[in-house]
Structures are given as C-alpha cells and as structure tokens.
Amino acid sequence: MISTHPFCDLSGDTLREECGVFGVIGTPDAAAVTALGLHALQHRGQEAAGIVSFDGAEFYAHRGLGHVAENFSSRETLAGLPGFMANGHVRYSTTGGAGLRNVQPLFADLASGGFSVAHNGNISNAAALRAELVARGSIFQSTSDTEVIIHLVATSRYPTPVDRLIDALRMIEGAFSLVVMTKDHMIACRDPLGIRPLVMGRLGEATVFASESVAFDVVGGSFEREVEPGELIVVDANGERQSLRPFQRQRPRPCIFEHVYFSRPDSVFAGRSVYEARRAIGAQLALEAPVDADLVVPVPDSGVPAAIGYAQSSGIPFELGIVRSHYVGRTFIQPSESARHSGVRRKHNANRALVAGKRIVLIDDSIVRGTTSLKIVEMMRDAGATEIHFRVASPPTAHSCYYGVDTPERSKLLAAQMQLEPMRAFIKADSLAFVSLDGLYRAVSGLPREPGAPRFCDACFSGDYPTTLTDLARQTQGDAQLSLPVGQAA
C-alpha cells in the first residue's frame, strides 16, 4: 500500500547533525588516529570526510565525498598525511550545500602561516559577515559558513594567530565547536552557550579533541573532560595546554537533542551517559502516556534505549518487532516510483511472526515530516498488528534549527502544521503521544525546565532560540514574528 499526501516525501524525514570533528596533537601517526576517530563519529556526517595534517614544516590534506572508509582506508592515503598533528571532519551538507569545495577541514595559507579549521555548528550571521568581507575585497573559495571564520582571522589586526581567532569568534553568532591547527598550536574552542558538543581526552602523551567521547574509546584514548562553553584550549607541540576564557560568560544551553538522538548511546554528553538518558526518557514517556498493550517495539536503532525504558517502567515486554538492515547503502538506484516508496521496507522489516495479532507500542526518537512514521505504521499493520500505539521520545519538533542541524524548513515539519489528533490520523496510529518538554528535562537532568532560564537549547521544540538570528531576520525582514525579542518563539 502506497500512501499519497503532501507530506509524503521520504527524503529529509530525519533530523541530521551537520558534522563531527576530531583532532590530535603529539603522536607520530596523527592522521591514522584521526581517521579512526572519524570512524567513530561517522553517524554525525556521512556525505564527506577530510583530514589535514602537519609535520612541523608542511601541511598536507586529503578530502573526499563519501564515508571515512571510502577515503582513508588505504596505506597510501595515510602515508600522504604525515605529521604529529591532524584535524579531521565528517559532514552533512546544510549550510553551503554539497560539493568537494565545502568539505572540511578548510585550509588557507595566511600571513602567519597555515590555518586549518574543522567546524561543527552553524554561524547564524554568516551571510551578513560574508557580504561585508566581500565588499572589502575578500574572495571566497567555498559556500560554507566556516570560511567566514578564515577570512575574519586573515583580516584581523591582532598580532598572534590565537588572538586573531578570538577576534574573529567575537564577531560571529550561533553555534561553533572548532578544532583549529596553526603551525605552532592546536586550538579547540566551543561557543559561549556550548550548543554543540566538544570533549578533550588523552592518548598516551597526546591530547585529543572530538565531538563525542566515544571517539576516544575507539582510538584507545581516555576521556578527560568537556571543553567548557566559551573555553578556548591551546596546545603546543610540547603538549603544554593553556585554557583561555575570552568571551563573556553566559548560562550554557547545550543542545538537548544530543541526548535524544544525535550522540551515540555509548557517549557521555553534558555529564550524563547518553544511553542512560534515553532509557530514562522512555521511562518518563511510560509514566506520561501509558497504554494497554502486548509488546513494546522500538524503531531501530535510535528508538531502542527509550523502548527499553518504556518496557521496564510499564511492565510490557520489550521485543524486536522490527528488524533493521545495516546494509542499505547511502545511495540507492531506484528504478521506479514504487521502488522509491519502498525505502522504509529496505531499511526496516516487520518481524511478522512476533507482531501478528498483537497490540504494540511503537517507540521512536522523533517525528519530523511524519512520512517514515506513516510507512512504519502501515508496515506493522500489514504484518498483522491489531493495534499500534505510537510513542515518541521527544516533544513535537515544530521549529527549525539554525545551529548546525539539518532540519526541514518549518512548513515541512508535521508538528508545525498539525495538532496531535491530526498527526495521529496522518500516521494512521491508534494513538499518538510525545514526551512532554518538562518530562524530557526531568529525564535527562533530574530537574524540570525552568521557564525563562532553560538549561538546554530546546528551540526545535519550544521556539526559544538562545541567540539572535541575524541572517534569518534579514531574509524575512518585515515579518512581524521576527520582531519578537530573542528568547521568544519566532
């Protein structure tokens, strides 16, 4: 059965983190360590990967479209990236679009020497800054917002590369977690609100940085601590570290969706095990939205920890009623329109013998456009499920993200267009419920959300954006909604 509806576009029916960053200084095989670290971060970006290395005299770079394994598996490639220091990047294309010229790390020869930057996040005044820079004579080689940082550093009048970087970052708004290389230092920096994650670890005598702690496990290193919001850490070739606080202190607002979906479950984020947070969200969801059913079934893989929590709290048995294929490629030649609509079934298949004749609770991490949810409900009905109760381990996603997450425009978000009952009817479930925003906060932090002073960035749920959105305001000038003060829903 193929459904047709204005929202039935299988492309873009998931929230995707824009990228992941990794860096290491102080080991003779820095590029190989970086490639391994990027493997652990592959879930954060699957369209392109790149590594830049430095051997004390020269910078070397290799970038390519596709997965890390497609670009950095050969000895010849890694041999072409010598050095004791390297930074790397995996990305999705949000700001700037796809294409090799936007693959990071971006590198430039500045007056002070080579400068390589790997950036996770999104600069929300990049277009305004770019226009000013171009008017002053800057020539851009990419369409990535990250290149704005390079041009701001290049045109800064401060004497040292570190001071020039600080000067540049003071001009930008939005979210940034950076791993930067100069000929003398590796520099890691996180925006004052700490929206995007960045952690520091050790590998022998080497210092390592990554978007997630799981990367340290994979390379054989150890987690030390988070790079704190607004902190800039400078590491020299001797391993000496310096911590700087160049920005005005603000109340941190790390992205709460890292707990819901983005981070790997074996990572630690904001001082909490991601797996334990997701299980707690499921338990909270069971308290808020109980139902009489026979089985709790996760939508794999992201729904599994929450489903375990829901099952444990409700007493309803947990079962793998959907089996996921891990061999569906990133790209797939689809010969017909009907094949295009079979995308969900290529990735997920109902465990018919288990679910036939059963009342099931389906647990997923989020609903974006709703098209995937609809297809999964239809698949479970075709497999013989008698009742399907859809439970979502996040509040309704009703607002777009401007901080480095690839969300559809708001007009394509199901929760921005429909209330709960029309959403339920659209996905054809017998019932539908989301965890409350307050319940999400209680699950991940143990405390309720404080009105007017939230501890996380939850703008995709609340519309409460923690920074100004200069480029958006310029694009929609005259829109009365954008005249609201920062912190109110646009």
Side-chain angles (χ1 to χ4, degrees):
M1 177 170 56
I2 298 174
S3 296
T4 58
H5 190 280
F7 284 100
C8 279
D9 174 9
L10 289 178
S11 63
D13 193 30
T14 185
L15 298 182
R16 303 188 306 182
E17 175 63 88
E18 183 182 2
C19 60
V21 298
F22 187 92
V24 59
I25 179 170
T27 183
D29 54 351
V33 172
T34 300
L36 193 57
L38 292 179
H39 273 288
L41 302 174
Q42 185 74 86
H43 59 288
R44 300 186 75 90
Q46 299 181 43
E47 291 184 0
I51 294 175
V52 175
S53 69
F54 181 65
D55 65 359
E58 299 288 340
F59 286 88
Y60 306 85
H62 183 84
R63 307 177 188 88
L65 302 178
H67 288 181
V68 177
E70 296 174 55
N71 290 286
F72 297 104
S73 290
S74 73
R75 293 181 179 178
E76 292 77 14
T77 299
L78 293 174
L81 296 167
F84 67 93
M85 177 167 58
N87 64 349
H89 190 273
V90 289
R91 85 182 295 261
Y92 278 120
S93 58
T94 55
T95 299
L100 194 58
R101 65 176 176 159
N102 290 320
V103 179
Q104 297 188 37
L106 297 185
F107 176 82
D109 276 310
L110 306 182
S112 58
F115 185 90
S116 173
V117 57
H119 170 211
N120 174 210
N122 203 64
I123 301 171
S124 56
N125 64 336
L129 290 171
R130 185 185 182 107
E132 294 176 11
L133 288 161
V134 169
R136 299 205 308 257
S138 292
I139 300 173
F140 282 73
Q141 301 298 313
S142 76
T143 55
S144 168
D145 63 334
T146 307
E147 192 177 356
V148 168
I149 297 172
I150 294 177
H151 286 274
L152 291 174
V153 171
T155 56
S156 172
R157 296 182 179 275
Y158 280 83
T160 71
V162 173
D163 288 335
R164 290 173 187 166
L165 177 62
I166 291 170
D167 184 37
L169 296 180
R170 282 176 173 159
M171 297 184 220
I172 69 176
E173 66 183 36
F176 56 85
S177 285
L178 307 176
V179 177
V180 171
M181 291 195 307
T182 71
K183 61 184 179 61
D184 298 312
H185 302 101
M186 174 163 282
I187 308 163
C189 185
R190 196 172 175 198
D191 68 77
L193 294 173
I195 297 174
R196 301 261 66 84
L198 191 63
V199 291
M200 179 172 66
R202 187 168 290 280
L203 178 63
E205 296 301 312
T207 297
V208 284
F209 299 99
S211 293
E212 293 184 38
S213 61
V214 67
F216 304 151
D217 300 333
V218 172
V219 302
S222 58
F223 170 78
E224 291 191 349
R225 65 177 179 86
E226 291 191 8
V227 177
E228 296 183 10
E231 183 182 19
L232 190 144
I233 300 175
V234 183
V235 187
D236 66 20
N238 297 318
E240 295 295 323
R241 299 175 181 173
Q242 182 183 15
S243 174
L244 305 175
R245 302 283 185 156
F247 310 111
Q248 182 178 355
R249 287 184 181 269
Q250 301 181 48
R251 182 170 181 147
R253 294 280 300 272
C255 172
I256 200 167
F257 222 99
E258 293 284 346
H259 277 309
V260 173
Y261 174 72
F262 296 139
S263 291
R264 272 180 45 163
D266 45 348
S267 285
V268 174
F269 176 69
R272 181 85 190 274
S273 159
V274 174
Y275 175 85
E276 291 297 335
R278 289 178 187 167
R279 190 169 66 173
I281 295 169
Q284 179 69 29
L285 185 57
L287 293 175
E288 293 183 1
V291 66
D292 188 16
D294 302 310
L295 301 175
V296 174
V297 175
V299 177
D301 291 321
S302 56
V304 171
I308 291 172
Y310 192 102
Q312 291 174 339
S313 180
S314 66
I316 302 171
F318 170 93
E319 295 287 356
L320 294 177
I322 301 174
V323 178
R324 180 187 172 189
S325 170
H326 292 270
Y327 304 99
V328 177
R330 215 171 26 88
T331 57
F332 188 85
I333 299 172
Q334 299 175 69
S336 67
E337 183 73 5
S338 61
R340 186 176 72 83
H341 284 283
S342 71
V344 169
R345 291 180 186 264
R346 285 186 285 105
K347 187 176 181 180
H348 298 107
N349 189 49
N351 191 343
R352 184 178 297 270
L354 188 66
V355 304
K358 299 293 197 307
R359 301 167 300 166
I360 64 172
V361 184
L362 274 178
I363 309 288
D364 206 354
D365 61 89
S366 61
I367 293 180
V368 184
R369 296 173 188 254
T371 51
T372 297
S373 303
L374 167 62
K375 295 296 178 184
I376 288 175
V377 170
E378 289 179 338
M379 179 180 69
M380 302 307 280
R381 292 231 189 262
D382 290 346
T386 58
E387 293 179 15
I388 300 172
H389 302 278
F390 211 103
R391 297 293 181 265
V392 186
S394 63
T397 303
H399 302 270
S400 297
C401 176
Y402 300 100
Y403 302 118
V405 176
D406 183 18
T407 54
E409 60 189 61
R410 194 179 181 202
S411 63
K412 296 180 180 178
L413 293 171
L414 193 67
Q417 307 305 311
M418 298 181 184
Q419 296 298 315
L420 185 64
E421 174 55 25
M423 290 176 69
R424 182 209 62 76
F426 172 76
I427 68 170
K428 300 183 179 180
D430 291 285
S431 69
L432 171 65
F434 297 80
V435 72
S436 67
L437 185 55
D438 193 63
L440 177 61
Y441 267 74
R442 291 179 184 278
V444 302
S445 69
L447 297 169
R449 187 180 191 270
E450 297 179 34
R455 291 179 300 279
F456 293 93
C457 178
D458 54 29
C460 56
F461 306 131
S462 67
D464 184 352
Y465 293 97
T467 74
T468 52
L469 300 171
T470 297
D471 291 343
L472 180 65
R474 285 161 63 105
Q475 291 169 12
T476 57
Q477 192 171 11
D479 185 341
Q481 287 183 308
L482 289 174
S483 67
L484 291 172
V486 174
Q488 294 190 32

